[in-house]
Amino acid sequence: MEISGWGNFPKIEAEMVSDAYFSNIQEIVSKSSQIIPNGLLRSYGDSALGKFCFSSAKLNRFLLFDKESGLLTVESGVSLLEINKIFIPQGWFLPVTPGTQFVTIGGAIASDVHGKNHHKVGTFGNFVKSIKLLLPNSQIVDCNTNEDSEIFKATIGGIGLTGIILQAQIMLIPITSPLIEQTTLKSENLDELFENFSKYNNTTYSVAWIDTFSNNSQLGKGLLFLGEHFNAKDKENKSIEIKKTSKITIPFNFPSKTLNPFFLRIFNYLYYSKEFKKEKKSLVYFDKFFYPLDAINHWNRIYGKNGFAQYQFVVPIDNSKKAIVKIYQIMRDFGQGSFLTVLKQFGDENGFYLSFPNNGFTLAMDFAINRKTLEMFDAFDKIILEYGGRLYLTKDSRMSNKFFHKTYEDKIDKFKEIKSKVDSNNKFNSLQSKRLAL
Amino acid sequence: MKDKKLANKRSCLILGGTSEIGLAIANKFAENGFDLILAARNYDEVQKNANNINLRFNVKTDALKMDILDVTSQNKLIDELQFLPDIVVFSIGLLDKGKTAEENFEIAKEIIDVNFTYSLNILNKFAALFEARKFGAIIGIGSVAGDRGRKSNYIYGSAKAAFATYLSGLRNRLFQSNVRVITVKPGFVQTKMVAHLDLPKIITASPEKIAKDVYKAFVHKKDIVYSLKFYKLLMLIVYHIPEILFKRINL
């Protein structure tokens, strides 16, 4: 079958197998010459793609939950959606969540995903207490910060290259309501937006949307979304109902000219203008706050059949503003605009070898794939390199081996050391790992 | 068994708690508020399945070990039950693959033992317990393969035919005791049992679809149900093809 990541680029003809029994999975791995595990294929690029894939689809059981501590043990194919559906009504929530619920636990670990609270609590990996991992030699190990800690640190953020994650223990956090108190702040330019980020650095959740088409003095015109878990004071509302939200489905790939600059400009203008006041407070359901795009099935189809790529970088805090201004300059030179541009301030880096977040600002932009955008990405890369930044492997489908090694310089050696220890034949590889010589 | 009275909540025992159809049925009953007991040979796996149902559906679950081909193990299962469940679902099956069962009696015997001989033994035990309690339901997963012998799987088919006849007799026997017996006849199901066959999608049901039909049959007090429904008509036709013609067909 033909598979691709969420960006629909690149595509590959692949054989997919799945199983729930450890002994069968061991046999699958020992018989294969090369393999890569994957889940819901929500990585954007080629990090979960290979000719022979182990799908976690059948590893989808909930195994244990400790109602005192919130420690949840699940198999790796369980999705965040399923966890939310079961545990939000019981008063528990994911400690860190990316912008979609259609992600498996295995995928969340392998990408070491981050959320709107990174500046406060760090990545998903910080809440993983242990991992049951099937190593490339088919041996099964339980790893955590004490036992096989180096394998643990290589596996979190290790994009599936250290083996198959079978089970994991995750610490959930207690909540009293499925509601989020949201504050929306308008900013007129980048300075104001950055000020707002630092002013509200103590707020649990924060993320900003930027109008891609405002330039020069207006660059950074956007909306900062802040959120706190709503504290339900009266405990009468013990059972928290999850409201069903209606869904829209994009039924087919849009013609590639749909997202032309004119359309994008209008969309961005309207999105900004829908907020009249400088500051707005509202109470919203968790899914509207955390997963706005999940309400549109197959939103990736709006980029057309050639697919799209998300360019997500992080640049250290002192260089962030300069880098963003330059990136915008390049985007304008190329006459391109991103449909959705998201800015977020990260907290400190963690000790997982290939983890992406780093103290600074991260910017994510979506572009339909074509020759021009690929050229533009190369131009972006030069800026990122110059300012000491790096790209998120989970979103990448095109960066060069050389660029990758320069930007992950300080982390890559340790990862490679562990990788060669557990997988000397490089059995676990993806299109991306081959491209990046990982 | 510790208590032969009814449990407080409605409860359902799945024999074959690691089979895909058995699990789908377990999920369906759990979704409708039943407590679940799962039994299977592989205790580790059935334990995981029981935990999964407990956490997903917030119902009580238990896992027990049982090897269908071991009468001692069957008896032990009944001893270990905390209470007598309202419903017993039998979803253990062994399919014959290709020519091996024709050539090898051991394989043929195992197919017949799993699908009929030993199934009969454990269901007899539950039938007696339910009969004494004057309440309960036995749901047996048969197969359309039992409706007519075809050269591709007639050994499995003949065991399933015997199983269906057994269930029919059991239904007749237990009717007066307020115990219901439901025979479910799936056609092609997308499970690992047939993963090696390339099946046409339109006549292939998912385990979830079978489970839905089973639950509906339970609620509506049906005796025999085909899943998919289309098989009822198909098997009616197949059943009535004269043998003189049928023997020439390549099925």
Side-chain angles (χ1 to χ4, degrees):
Chain A
M1 64 191 289
E2 189 183 70
I3 59 166
S4 65
W6 185 241
N8 286 326
F9 171 84
K11 295 177 177 132
I12 181 174
E13 197 55 46
E15 189 189 335
M16 296 263 255
V17 293
S18 187
D19 210 291
Y21 289 18
F22 294 172
S23 54
N24 293 351
I25 303 171
Q26 284 172 314
E27 201 182 314
I28 290 168
V29 170
S30 61
K31 277 187 178 165
S32 63
S33 58
Q34 56 167 340
I35 189 165
I36 191 77
N38 58 36
L40 287 166
L41 289 170
R42 283 288 175 132
S43 302
Y44 283 60
D46 53 1
S47 56
L49 306 184
K51 282 198 176 116
F52 186 67
C53 306
F54 177 82
S55 162
S56 63
K58 290 192 176 171
L59 283 170
N60 66 346
R61 289 175 290 196
F62 286 79
L63 299 174
L64 214 57
F65 183 63
D66 181 351
K67 285 184 171 136
E68 297 299 312
S69 65
L71 188 68
L72 174 68
T73 310
V74 289
E75 291 185 325
S76 60
V78 168
S79 71
L80 303 190
L81 177 79
E82 294 172 294
I83 293 176
N84 282 341
K85 208 173 98 190
I86 292 167
F87 287 99
I88 288 177
Q90 298 181 36
W92 296 95
F93 189 53
L94 297 162
V96 165
T97 178
T100 173
Q101 298 181 87
F102 303 118
V103 167
T104 63
I105 284 295
I109 293 171
S111 288
D112 194 22
V113 295
H114 55 268
K116 298 173 174 59
N117 55 353
H118 186 275
H119 61 291
K120 296 280 277 189
V121 303
T123 63
F124 190 82
N126 292 352
F127 297 87
V128 177
K129 294 298 155 196
S130 88
I131 295 171
K132 193 182 277 297
L133 184 73
L134 197 157
L135 294 169
N137 66 5
S138 281
Q139 194 194 330
I140 294 172
V141 292
D142 285 300
C143 56
N144 51 52
T145 47
N146 297 318
E147 295 161 77
D148 283 316
S149 62
E150 289 193 315
I151 296 177
F152 185 70
K153 286 188 227 167
T155 300
I156 296 177
I159 44 173
L161 297 174
T162 58
I164 293 172
I165 298 170
L166 300 170
Q167 296 175 2
Q169 294 190 298
I170 315 296
M171 197 58 94
L172 301 184
I173 55 164
I175 52 168
T176 57
S177 154
L179 296 168
I180 298 289
E181 282 180 285
Q182 179 179 287
T183 307
T184 313
L185 295 171
K186 258 186 164 178
S187 63
E188 298 298 333
N189 54 52
L190 208 53
D191 286 333
E192 195 184 348
L193 187 55
F194 270 57
E195 269 166 37
N196 281 340
F197 263 114
S198 86
K199 192 169 155 194
Y200 294 97
N201 201 28
N202 270 324
T203 308
T204 308
Y205 299 106
S206 65
V207 70
W209 166 86
I210 303 184
D211 178 355
T212 316
F213 285 89
S214 294
N215 246 310
N216 302 325
S217 67
Q218 284 207 321
L219 165 59
K221 194 170 100 176
L223 306 168
L224 176 63
F225 300 101
L226 302 167
E228 291 288 356
H229 287 286
F230 177 65
N231 201 348
K233 286 183 187 86
D234 60 314
K235 295 277 173 162
E236 282 168 39
N237 257 337
K238 262 276 179 185
S239 68
I240 308 169
E241 290 282 323
I242 297 184
K243 214 172 58 176
K244 271 200 179 155
T245 43
S246 55
K247 280 206 160 202
I248 303 165
T249 296
I250 307 294
F252 48 79
N253 284 318
F254 281 15
S256 53
K257 290 280 183 286
T258 309
L259 290 187
N260 55 44
F262 177 71
F263 174 84
L264 290 176
R265 198 179 287 269
I266 290 189
F267 170 81
N268 277 263
Y269 176 75
L270 289 175
Y271 196 82
Y272 182 76
S273 308
K274 78 181 170 65
E275 305 298 340
F276 291 108
K277 285 188 252 159
K278 194 79 184 159
E279 183 178 332
K280 188 181 127 188
K281 283 187 184 294
S282 54
L283 210 52
V284 298
Y285 263 88
F286 75 97
D287 51 352
K288 204 180 160 200
F289 183 78
F290 291 106
Y291 316 111
L293 284 173
D294 281 357
I296 309 164
N297 285 326
H298 296 295
W299 64 261
N300 52 346
R301 288 181 180 161
I302 62 172
Y303 290 95
K305 66 174 166 37
N306 292 335
F308 76 106
Q310 187 170 84
Y311 193 89
Q312 181 173 3
F313 65 83
V314 61
V315 167
I317 196 134
D318 295 338
N319 291 338
S320 294
K321 211 181 286 176
K322 283 178 273 182
I324 292 169
V325 170
K326 287 218 171 170
I327 292 285
Y328 264 75
Q329 181 66 44
I330 291 169
M331 202 156 46
R332 195 175 51 178
D333 292 348
F334 275 85
Q336 299 288 312
S338 156
F339 183 43
L340 211 57
T341 306
V342 173
L343 182 72
K344 157 94 203 131
Q345 184 170 8
F346 279 151
D348 289 336
E349 186 175 18
N350 60 32
F352 306 124
Y353 305 139
L354 280 187
S355 185
F356 163 67
N358 192 3
N359 201 340
F361 277 84
T362 182
L363 191 73
M365 301 170 289
D366 296 338
F367 302 92
I369 290 276
N370 54 48
R371 202 163 44 89
K372 212 168 169 184
T373 48
L374 289 172
E375 273 172 34
M376 178 175 72
F377 289 163
D378 290 339
F380 285 170
D381 287 352
K382 292 200 182 89
I383 305 299
I384 302 309
L385 194 60
E386 185 186 337
Y387 288 106
R390 62 184 178 227
L391 303 186
Y392 190 9
L393 286 169
T394 302
K395 307 286 175 74
D396 163 64
S397 53
R398 36 66 53 192
M399 73 170 129
S400 74
N401 174 5
K402 207 169 129 195
F403 172 76
F404 169 71
H405 277 80
K406 274 188 195 155
T407 52
Y408 275 80
E409 203 176 20
D410 50 332
K411 307 177 68 137
I412 189 74
D413 290 345
K414 194 72 202 170
F415 178 82
K416 282 192 171 177
E417 185 195 319
I418 305 304
K419 167 79 173 159
S420 63
K421 253 188 218 166
V422 299
D423 190 13
S424 52
N425 295 327
N426 197 24
K427 181 184 266 192
F428 278 66
N429 64 67
S430 61
L431 287 187
Q432 183 183 52
S433 81
K434 284 195 258 187
R435 172 164 50 83
L436 301 179
L438 257 172
Chain B
M1 205 179 328
K2 302 203 171 73
D3 182 5
K4 290 190 182 178
K5 278 180 299 191
L6 262 176
N8 291 332
K9 261 182 94 181
R10 296 191 296 172
S11 57
C12 178
L13 166 66
I14 309 277
L15 302 173
T18 51
S19 83
E20 285 172 75
I21 292 179
L23 275 177
I25 294 171
N27 283 337
K28 193 73 202 172
F29 276 94
E31 193 186 306
N32 286 284
F34 281 76
D35 286 338
L36 262 301
I37 309 153
L38 305 185
R41 187 175 41 185
N42 187 336
Y43 183 73
D44 284 350
E45 289 301 319
V46 82
Q47 174 81 64
K48 286 183 197 171
N49 292 337
N51 288 354
N52 179 47
I53 289 170
N54 166 251
L55 288 168
R56 278 182 189 264
F57 300 102
N58 198 23
V59 295
K60 280 194 203 126
T61 59
D62 201 1
L64 295 170
K65 185 178 161 65
M66 186 200 72
D67 182 352
I68 186 69
L69 293 177
D70 179 352
V71 174
T72 318
S73 168
Q74 291 188 2
N75 291 335
K76 198 159 159 269
L77 171 94
I78 290 176
D79 283 343
E80 282 174 349
L81 284 174
Q82 302 282 330
F83 54 83
L84 188 60
D86 300 3
I87 305 165
V88 171
V89 176
F90 188 88
S91 72
I92 300 173
L94 184 65
L95 200 67
D96 56 349
K97 286 174 187 158
K99 289 235 161 271
T100 48
E102 289 172 355
E103 290 157 358
N104 185 329
F105 176 64
E106 287 307 312
I107 292 171
K109 184 171 175 294
E110 196 186 354
I111 287 166
I112 292 160
D113 282 348
V114 171
N115 292 308
F116 180 60
T117 325
Y118 285 78
S119 318
L120 169 151
N121 187 56
I122 185 123
L123 290 184
N124 271 345
K125 289 176 200 290
F126 280 105
L129 291 165
F130 284 3
E131 194 172 32
R133 187 180 63 180
K134 301 231 173 296
F135 170 76
I138 294 169
I139 300 172
I141 309 300
S143 170
V144 295
D147 284 5
R148 189 139 197 192
R150 294 179 293 122
K151 67 178 171 189
S152 54
N153 66 353
Y154 61 92
I155 294 176
Y156 170 77
S158 52
K160 283 294 187 188
F163 186 59
T165 307
Y166 166 75
L167 290 177
S168 167
L170 204 58
R171 181 179 303 115
N172 192 206
R173 164 187 160 196
L174 297 174
F175 176 72
Q176 297 296 346
S177 311
N178 190 30
V179 177
R180 288 155 49 204
V181 177
I182 301 165
T183 310
V184 184
K185 294 186 179 180
F188 287 131
V189 189
Q190 201 55 56
T191 71
K192 58 188 168 206
M193 238 161 99
V194 294
H196 60 291
L197 302 174
D198 206 6
L199 298 171
K201 274 220 170 81
I202 196 147
I203 58 164
T204 309
S206 65
E208 289 71 31
K209 166 68 181 150
I210 308 283
K212 214 172 141 189
D213 287 348
V214 167
Y215 190 73
K216 235 165 74 187
F218 169 75
V219 170
H220 294 123
K221 305 185 188 252
K222 291 275 168 38
D223 295 320
I224 300 171
V225 283
Y226 284 84
S227 181
L228 308 165
K229 252 193 183 144
F230 144 87
Y231 279 102
K232 190 175 179 176
L233 177 67
L234 179 74
M235 293 321 290
L236 188 75
I237 295 165
V238 170
Y239 186 78
H240 283 97
I241 299 173
E243 196 68 15
I244 192 160
L245 287 176
F246 192 77
K247 67 182 180 191
R248 293 159 212 270
I249 301 174
N250 208 2
L251 277 169

